[in-house]
C-alpha cells in the first residue's frame, strides 16, 4: 500500500486541501469529500460574533484532520505566536508555516521563514513550511528539522502551474522529508506534473475552491494526484527527439 | 482601566474570561469555547488561566478558525 | 453520464490504447485491463506461421473493441487497400487511417492522408485519421466526412508531450467531431493536459507499452484522462500574473 | 506457373485457398482462418472466392492482426 | 562573408520585412532603413484613386527589392492569378505564395498551397511559400521546386513566437533550400531563436510595423537576426541538468 | 545615449563577461574584444609559481575593468574575507558577491548571502550579489544597500536559459537598482530575452568561453543584449491568441 | 454594353486602356501606369494589349501595390 | 617555528614578505607583486606591513587573480 508518511503520521491521500476561497460551507464540504483529502488547512482570525457556524464544524463532519496555517504573518515573531495560538485552539502541534515577504506576491521571506522554523521545531511543533522553489532554502529547512518542505509551483492564487520544474525536481532529488507542492496549481495536469517530478503530495486551495464547479475540480485533483504518483512509480518512457514506430514495419504487405 | 479587545478599546475591570465572553457574543463557539485561543500582549493565555484579571493597557486577541489556504 | 460518442458508438472510457510495443501478450492484457479502455488498435501484417497465438485472442479475452490501423503506409492507395483488407479480416469498417510522409518522423503526409480519407469515406468506412496539429487540415478531414480527427501531441514514440497546445486548442474549438489526441504522449500529465485543452479522448501506445511497469502506467493514464476531462468541465481558475490570497487578511490578529 | 506469396516466390498451380493454407502453416489461425485477409495483386479476395485459381505472376498477400499503435 | 542565397540571388541581410501594418510611409521608410533589410513584401490590391503616393515610391527610395505576396487568396487558382498579375505589375517572377485556409487563423491550406506552388514553379516563378510548421509539407514544397520554404513561428500577427521549435528544427535539418521563419515573431529573442534553430532568414511585419517604436524595433530585429545567426555558427554549449563551475575550486584559499 | 549606471559608474555596454572557462589567454582576449564588454570578472586563488602570465595582463591589454568575485565561498565569513583580499589585490571596492549553498548546484545560500552583503556594504564595498530568482531576497539585498541585484537565469554553467521568466520579470518591476541576469545563459536568444524582461545587463561566462567559437559567440551576445534592450524600449506588440492580418483584405481583387 | 471595373458596374464601349484610366483617376501612378497590372476575367492583360476593346460582361481588375506582410 | 603557506607546511623564521617571495617563486607577478593579496590567519595584511615577522602556527595565504565567472 503506497501511503504518505509525514512525521510518522500516515495518509492514504496525497492531496491536502486549503479551505480558503470557498463560497460557503456546503460547497466546501462537497469539495472536501470529492477530493478524498484527509487533511485541510485553516487560518486563525479574530472571532466574529456574526459568523454563522464554524469551518471546524465542516471539517469535523467530513472527518478530516486540520492543519492550521500562519497565513498573513510578515515576521518570524508573528508566525511563532500564531502557531502557539493555533496549538492552543486546535490541540495540534502541526502547523503550515507561512511567513510572507509582501502582500502583492505573497512569496515567502526566506530569512524570517527559516528563523521561525528553527524556533517552532525547538518548541516541539511539527513544521510544514510554505517555501519558494529554492533547493538551498529547502535543504536548510529540512536541516532545521521541518517534517516536510512545501515549495510553491507559482505564487498563491495565480494558477500558473509549475513555473520552474527544474528546481522542483532538484528539491525532490535531495530531500529526505516529503516534498509537498504548495500554491500556484491551476488545473489537474499541474497537480499530476508535480507528482511526476517527485513530489510526495500536493497542497492546493484556490484551484478547487474558486473553480466554476469546486466539487468536480476536487475530484479531478484527486485523480490527477493519483495519476501523477502512479506515472512516477511506473517509470515513464524517455523523451526522444526522433520518432520511434509503435508498429513494426516487419511483415508489411506489398500493396 | 482600559484594554484592547480584538483591536477595539474596552473599559472597566475584567478577567480574560470576561473578554472572551464579550468577544464571542452570540457566536456558536460560545458554549464550549471550542476552537478558541486567547493572547494577551501576544502571548498565549491557556484556558486554565482565563480567570486572570486583565491589566491596564493589555491587548487581548480572541481568535478562532476561519477558511484559509 | 459523460460518454464519448464516435459515429454514434458510445464509450465510457476516453482512452484508446495502441497495442504496439508490448513485450508479450500477458503484459498487454494486463495493460488493457488496467487502462479501462474499450477500444484498442491493431496493425495488419503478413501471417507468421511461427507466431504463438494472436493479439486478437488477447483482445477477445479483454472484451474490448478492435480498431485496425494502416500503420506503415506511405501512399493513399496503400492505405486504402490496407483498410479494405482490415475490413475483410476484422469485420469492422472502422479504421485508424495513417499515411506517413517518411519513416524517420513518421509524420502524416497531409495530401495523401486527405486523399485516402475521401476515398474511404466514400466506401462507407468510419475513418479516424491520424493527423498533424494543423487546424486547417483537421477541418478539411472533418469536411471530408471523417468520424473524428486525431491530431498528434508530438511524433510517434517520442514521449515529448504536447508540442503545440495552441494548435491543439484551435482544433478543439472548431471541430464538430471528436478530437482525439494521438501520438507523442509521454506521461500522465500530458494526457490530462490534452483533455484540458478540449480533446474528447486520448490514443496512446508507447507511453504505456514501453513504460517500466505498463499496467501501472495504464492505470495512471486512465486516471489522468478522467482527471483532465473533469478539470475541463469544472471550469479552471484564470491564470493571473499576480498573487491572490487564498486566506483573507480580514480579522488578522495584531501579534 | 509462378506466383509470389507474402513476398516469396512459389511454383505450380494453386488456388487462393491453397496459398492461404501454405502461408498459415501451423499458425493457430489456420483452423478458422479467423482474422485473415487475402489480397491478390493488391485487391481483396473475399473468402467466398478463395476457390479461385491463381494466375501466373499473381502477387498474393495473406495478412492478419499484429500489435500496432 | 556569410551571405544568404535564394535561387542564386545573394543577400547580406537575413531579415525580410513585410510592409503591412505601418501607420504611414514615413514610418515605414524609417523602419526599412533601420532593419537593414534588402527585400520587402507588398500586396496587390485594386488601385485607389484617392491614395496619396505609392508604397513602391518608399521601396524605391530605400533602394530595396520588392517581393509581392498573394495575401488573402483562399484557392490555388486565386493565388496563381495573383502571382501572374504581380509579375506583370512589378516585373519580378519572385512571389511570396500565401494560400490561407480561413480568415480567423490565416493559416495556410496545405493542399491548395502545394497545388499553387507546383503550377507557379511550372510557369517559371521563384516561389517562396508561406507554410505551416509541418516538416512533411515543407519537404513536398521543396520537392515541388520552391526556392525556399517559409514555415510560420505562430499565426500571422499573434506575436506568440515559436510555438513548436521541435518542428522548426526538423524542417531546418532536412531542407536543402533556405528555411525562412515567416509570421508569428513577436520580439527580438524570437527572431534570434529562429536563427539558432537553423533558419536561414526571418520574415516579419507586424512585430516591427505595429511596435510602439517601429524603427527601434526594426533595429532590434536586425541585431537579433545577426546575433542568432552568429550563435548558431559559434556552436553553443550543451544544456546540462546540473551546474558546472565557471570558476575552478583549485587553489582556493583556506579562509 | 542609453547608458547603464551602476553605483554612479557609467557603461556603454550592458554585457559583463566572466573569464572562467577560457581555454587560454589569447582566446580570452579575442572574446573580450568581440563582446564589447567594459567589465570582466576574475577570481582570487593561491599564486601558482608555474603560471604563464596573469589574466590581469589580458584584462589590461583589453582595457576593461575588473570585477573580482568570491566564487567558491560557502559562508558569509569566507566571502567577506575574500572580498577584503580582492580589494587589497585589485584596488577596487567592487565585488561580485557569491556565497554558494553546495557544490553540485552552485546555487546561492540566501541567508549567508544576505549576511555577507550587509557586512560588505557596511565596509564600503560596492556589492553586486549573485542571487537566485526569488523576488523577496532580491528586495532584501537591495534594501541592504547592494548596488545591483544579479538573479540567475539557471544554475551556473547549465546553459538552460531563463528557467522562470515570471520571477525575473517580478524582480525587474520592483527593483530600483540595476538587475543583472547572471548565470545560466546558454545562447543569444536567452540573453535577448533577459533584456526584454527588463534586465539592465547580462553577465555570462561559460556560454562564451566554452562555445566552439568563443569570439563569435561573444559577438552574438553583444548583439543579442543590444537587440533585447532595444526591443524592450521599442514596445513589443501584444501576444494575441488569434491571427491578425498584416495585409488588409480591403480592395482585394475578385479573381 | 456593360462591364465591371474593380467591382463596380460600368457602361458603354471601352478599351482596357480606357478602364485603366478611369480606375486610376488622379492617382499618382496614372502618369506612368507604373506598378499597375490588369486582369480581364481573371487573366492578365499585358500592357501591349491594353488597346483591346472590352466585351459585354467583362470583369476588369486594375491592381497595384499596397502595404502587405 | 612553523607556518603554513598556501596550505603547505614551512619552517624557520620568516616575515610576510619572505613568505610572499617564496610563494611567488618565478611567477611573473613577482617583480611588482602587482595583483597580489596576503592573508595571515584569514585577515588581510596590507603591503605596508609585509615586513612583519610571522608567528608560530600562522596560516599565510598569498593570492592573485585567476580566470573566474
Amino acid at each position: 500500500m503506497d501511503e504518505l508518511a509525514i512525521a510518522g503520521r500516515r495518509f492514504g491521500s496525497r492531496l491536502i486541501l486549503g479551505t480558503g476561497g470557498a463560497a460557503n460551507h456546503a460547497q466546501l464540504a462537497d469539495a472536501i469529500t470529492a477530493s478524498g483529502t484527509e487533511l485541510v488547512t485553516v487560518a486563525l482570525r479574530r472571532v466574529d460574533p456574526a459568523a454563522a457556524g464554524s469551518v471546524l464544524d465542516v471539517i469535523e463532519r467530513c472527518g478530516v484532520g486540520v492543519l492550521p496555517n500562519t497565513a498573513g504573518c510578515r515576521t518570524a515573531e508573528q508566525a511563532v505566536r500564531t502557531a502557539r495560538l493555533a496549538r492552543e485552539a486546535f490541540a495540534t502541534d502541526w502547523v503550515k508555516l507561512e511567513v510572507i515577504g509582501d502582500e502583492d506576491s505573497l512569496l515567502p521571506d526566506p530569512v524570517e521563514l527559516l528563523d521561525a522554523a528553527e524556533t517552532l521545531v525547538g518548541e516541539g511543533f511539527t513544521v510544514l513550511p510554505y517555501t519558494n522553489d529554492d533547493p538551498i532554502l529547502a535543504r536548510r529547512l529540512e536541516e532545521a528539522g521541518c517534517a516536510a518542505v512545501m515549495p510553491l509551483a507559482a505564487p498563491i492564487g495565480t494558477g500558473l502551474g509549475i513555473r520552474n520544474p527544474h528546481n522542483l525536481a532538484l528539491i525532490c532529488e535531495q530531500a529526505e522529508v516529503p516534498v509537498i507542492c504548495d500554491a500556484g496549481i491551476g488545473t489537474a495536469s499541474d497537480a499530476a506534473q508535480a507528482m511526476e517530478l517527485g513530489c510526495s503530495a500536493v497542497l492546493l486551495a484556490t484551484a478547487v475552491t474558486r473553480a466554476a464547479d469546486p466539487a468536480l475540480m476536487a475530484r479531478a485533483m484527486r485523480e490527477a494526484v493519483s495519476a501523477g504518483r502512479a506515472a512516477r512509480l511506473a517509470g515513464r518512457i524517455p523523451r526522444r527527439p526522433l520518432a520511434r514506430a509503435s508498429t513494426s514495419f516487419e511483415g508489411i504487405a506489398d500493396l | 482601566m482600559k484594554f484592547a479587545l480584538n483591536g477595539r478599546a474596552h473599559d472597566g475591570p475584567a478577567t480574560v474570561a470576561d473578554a472572551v465572553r464579550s468577544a464571542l457574543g452570540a457566536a456558536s463557539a460560545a458554549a464550549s469555547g471550542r476552537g478558541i485561543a486567547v493572547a494577551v500582549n501576544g502571548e498565549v493565555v491557556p484556558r486554565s488561566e482565563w480567570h486572570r484579571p486583565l491589566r491596564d493597557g493589555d491587548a487581548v486577541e480572541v481568535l478562532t478558525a476561519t477558511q484559509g489556504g
Side-chain angles (χ1 to χ4, degrees), chain A residues 26-243:
Chain A
Q27 211 173 62
L28 178 59
D30 292 345
I32 291 173
T33 306
S35 74
T37 187
E38 298 166 10
L39 189 64
V40 302
T41 64
V42 297
L44 207 60
R45 292 288 182 265
R46 287 166 171 170
V47 294
D48 170 7
S54 163
V55 65
L56 292 177
D57 303 331
V58 178
I59 294 169
E60 209 167 64
R61 272 201 305 282
C62 295
V64 296
V66 60
L67 175 64
N69 70 25
T70 61
C73 294
R74 299 287 304 269
T75 66
E77 185 185 34
Q78 283 177 316
V80 167
R81 288 175 159 183
T82 302
R84 291 176 186 146
L85 285 158
R87 175 158 59 178
E88 175 75 9
F90 310 124
T92 175
D93 59 13
W94 283 44
V95 61
K96 173 184 169 177
L97 180 60
E98 210 174 314
V99 191
I100 60 173
D102 67 52
E103 291 173 13
D104 298 327
S105 69
L106 301 176
L107 290 168
D109 181 310
V111 179
E112 296 294 318
L113 179 65
L114 186 57
D115 177 350
E118 285 164 346
T119 304
L120 290 171
V121 168
E123 295 184 12
F125 281 86
T126 299
V127 181
L128 288 67
Y130 161 65
T131 179
N132 58 32
D133 61 9
D134 172 16
I136 304 299
L137 182 57
R139 191 172 54 240
R140 292 196 63 152
L141 288 164
E142 179 176 351
E143 288 166 354
C146 293
V149 289
M150 308 208 295
L152 51 71
I156 293 169
T158 58
L160 291 173
I162 300 171
R163 293 291 82 197
N164 191 339
H166 185 252
N167 269 5
L168 209 51
L170 283 176
I171 291 172
C172 293
E173 280 164 27
Q174 83 188 5
E176 283 169 16
V177 293
V179 176
I180 302 170
C181 180
D182 180 3
I185 297 296
T187 184
S189 55
D190 299 336
Q193 186 189 6
M195 299 303 290
E196 289 162 354
L197 288 168
C199 292
S200 297
V202 170
L203 193 166
L204 52 85
T206 308
V208 160
T209 58
R210 297 195 201 273
D213 183 338
L216 184 54
M217 186 59 86
R219 196 202 88 200
M221 291 300 183
R222 172 172 56 72
E223 293 178 322
V225 167
S226 175
R229 174 70 177 175
R232 169 80 175 188
L233 297 175
R236 63 157 292 157
I237 56 172
R239 292 174 178 80
R240 35 177 80 240
L242 282 182

Side-chain angles (χ1 to χ4, degrees), chain A residues 18-22 25 41-47 49 53 55-57 60 69 81 84-85 88-90 96 98 205, chain B residues 6-7 23-24 26-28 34-39 41-47 61-69:
Chain A
T19 59
H25 286 173
T41 64
V42 297
L44 207 60
R45 292 288 182 265
R46 287 166 171 170
V47 294
V55 65
L56 292 177
D57 303 331
E60 209 167 64
N69 70 25
R81 288 175 159 183
R84 291 176 186 146
L85 285 158
E88 175 75 9
F90 310 124
K96 173 184 169 177
E98 210 174 314
Chain B
N6 285 354
L24 288 178
S28 63
R34 158 173 152 294
I36 301 291
V38 179
N41 305 327
E43 299 304 340
V44 177
V45 180
R47 194 155 315 225
E61 296 280 347
V62 182
L63 308 175
T64 190
T66 60
Q67 292 180 25

